[in-house]
Amino acid sequence: MSSEDFIAMLEADLGWRKKEVANLLLMETEQNQLLIIKSTVLLLYSHWEGFVKNATKAYLEHISDMRVDIGALTDNFKAISLKGLIGQVDKSHESLTMVNELNLINKLQNNLNRKFSLPRGFSRHERDKTIVNTKDNLSLKVFKSILNIVGIDYAGSLDTKSVFIDEKLLENRNKVAHGNRIEQIDAEFNLDLIELKKLKDLVFFLMSALVDDLIYYAEQELYFSENEDKMKSYLQQRAKEIEGYLP
């Protein structure tokens, strides 16, 4: 995937999702308000999980397609490349010999000279959860862990958003998705239209921020370990912007 294709994919994927949620909210009337709220919560969560998964997997595939030495990349890519090797040793933990462990040491030493590589079409394998796993319940904690996988770390600034993501989005989405009977907005389903629109703005703000981050990382080559100082400076700036956004 070229840089141009990667950027176009991110922008197009985010664009249609924003439009779909906006169109659903336009259908709201006084008579169908609760139905639209419940439907929008389901749709908004679907786009939240789907986009984060698609965008981060596409970024990893973009780096893979560049055929860069693992040793030249930041630590998150080194960690990804080690997953399979460590798994091999874990499977043999009952062995009475040290053969597998010694083989692992040799592989680790040689690993840095290999190219970072993911399976062809990695980003399009919907069920592949080996690296990016939303756990089918993309909480703030899971989101932060996925950011770390692609090398983004402004996690602390996201903690102030936990009420909206974990409670307003996930809890209410789960109540609707699990077939609970909801006939009014109350303590069991505490999301009115005003809060829903704030939630929608926050979710799409985080998704847009992810687009900006991944594009900046790609264009400025922040995946190279030699650019880590530049990456840290960028992340400090982004942390302030994220923390300053109030839904």
Side-chain angles (χ1 to χ4, degrees), residues 10-11 14 51 55 206-216:
L10 289 181
E11 293 176 342
L14 180 60
F51 180 77
L206 293 176
M207 291 162 66
S208 295
L210 180 58
V211 169
D212 293 341
D213 292 338
L214 294 178
I215 290 177
Y216 190 83

Side-chain angles (χ1 to χ4, degrees), residues 27-69:
M27 298 171 64
E28 180 265 332
T29 66
E30 186 176 344
Q31 290 72 32
N32 69 7
Q33 186 176 105
L34 182 57
L35 177 61
I36 292 297
I37 290 174
K38 292 192 292 183
S39 300
T40 303
V41 166
L42 291 176
L43 185 62
L44 186 60
Y45 175 79
S46 174
H47 286 324
W48 163 243
E49 179 179 334
F51 180 77
V52 169
K53 178 168 55 179
N54 288 356
T56 52
K57 290 178 73 172
Y59 174 71
L60 295 177
E61 184 175 53
H62 171 58
I63 305 304
S64 174
D65 289 346
M66 295 175 63
R67 308 297 294 169
V68 179
D69 286 349

Side-chain angles (χ1 to χ4, degrees), residues 145-158:
S145 71
I146 292 175
L147 289 181
N148 285 330
I149 289 171
V150 296
I152 298 173
D153 183 12
Y154 45 61
S157 61
L158 290 171

Side-chain angles (χ1 to χ4, degrees), residues 59-60 63 72-78 146-155 212-241:
Y59 174 71
L60 295 177
I63 305 304
L73 296 171
T74 49
D75 288 345
N76 56 298
F77 291 100
K78 295 183 177 76
I146 292 175
L147 289 181
N148 285 330
I149 289 171
V150 296
I152 298 173
D153 183 12
Y154 45 61
D212 293 341
D213 292 338
L214 294 178
I215 290 177
Y216 190 83
Y217 267 51
E219 291 181 336
Q220 300 298 316
E221 299 184 335
L222 299 189
Y223 44 83
F224 283 125
S225 57
E226 65 183 15
N227 292 332
E228 281 192 283
D229 287 343
K230 185 176 181 180
M231 177 186 68
K232 290 177 181 177
S233 176
Y234 172 77
L235 290 175
Q236 288 175 353
Q237 172 193 333
R238 292 296 280 161
K240 293 178 182 178
E241 295 173 2

Side-chain angles (χ1 to χ4, degrees), residues 178-203:
H178 294 161
N180 293 0
R181 186 169 183 174
I182 301 170
E183 296 181 329
Q184 61 183 358
I185 297 170
D186 54 23
E188 294 298 317
F189 186 79
N190 58 342
L191 187 64
D192 59 25
L193 189 62
I194 293 176
E195 283 197 315
L196 175 64
K197 290 181 178 179
K198 289 181 179 179
L199 177 59
K200 181 259 299 180
D201 290 343
L202 173 61
V203 169

